[in-house]
Amino acid sequence: MTDSADVCRLDVWLWRARFAPTRSEAAARVEAGRIRLTRAGIQTRMSKPGFRVRTGDVLMLMRGPELVEVRILALGKRRGPPAEAAALYEDLNRPPLASPDG
């Protein structure tokens, strides 16, 4: 059984990570089929805002005019400032920073 601290509602996570300005807007995006989740190599179009996400899941969604793919790194406990929200995910569209070693 998964501990409740290891999962979070999809709409809540989108709101905490600042992909939506309100929970109701996050829920509407999910219900409209605008979010895709990849878990264990299987991609699924989400339609239920209450779907439970966990760390390691990959989401594909629109951020403004841009299609982004993010990996969930943390679930968060609140909707914090932008820097705190950005720590909840890894943007898979951006190349990793080059190491100083070369």
Side-chain angles (χ1 to χ4, degrees):
M1 186 91 194
T2 304
D3 187 336
S4 63
D6 297 337
V7 296
C8 180
R9 285 178 56 108
L10 176 55
D11 61 338
V12 172
W13 189 86
L14 291 168
W15 175 69
R16 287 178 182 167
R18 294 183 167 265
F19 285 104
T22 64
R23 267 190 68 190
S24 59
E25 174 65 26
R29 290 180 188 181
V30 175
E31 289 171 345
R34 293 182 163 165
I35 312 293
R36 292 185 185 188
L37 175 128
T38 303
R39 180 183 287 167
I42 300 169
Q43 188 178 88
T44 308
R45 186 180 300 262
M46 297 287 95
S47 62
K48 304 282 187 196
F51 183 84
R52 305 292 182 185
V53 295
R54 54 185 174 228
T55 57
D57 287 346
V58 174
L59 300 175
M60 188 179 300
L61 59 131
M62 296 299 291
R63 179 171 41 198
E66 177 185 17
L67 179 65
V68 295
E69 193 170 18
V70 297
R71 176 176 290 116
I72 297 175
L73 299 178
L75 301 175
K77 300 212 182 290
R78 66 185 186 125
R79 180 180 167 95
E84 186 177 314
L88 298 180
Y89 61 90
E90 172 189 6
D91 188 342
L92 300 177
N93 294 20
R94 301 208 173 137
L97 296 174
S99 69
D101 299 344

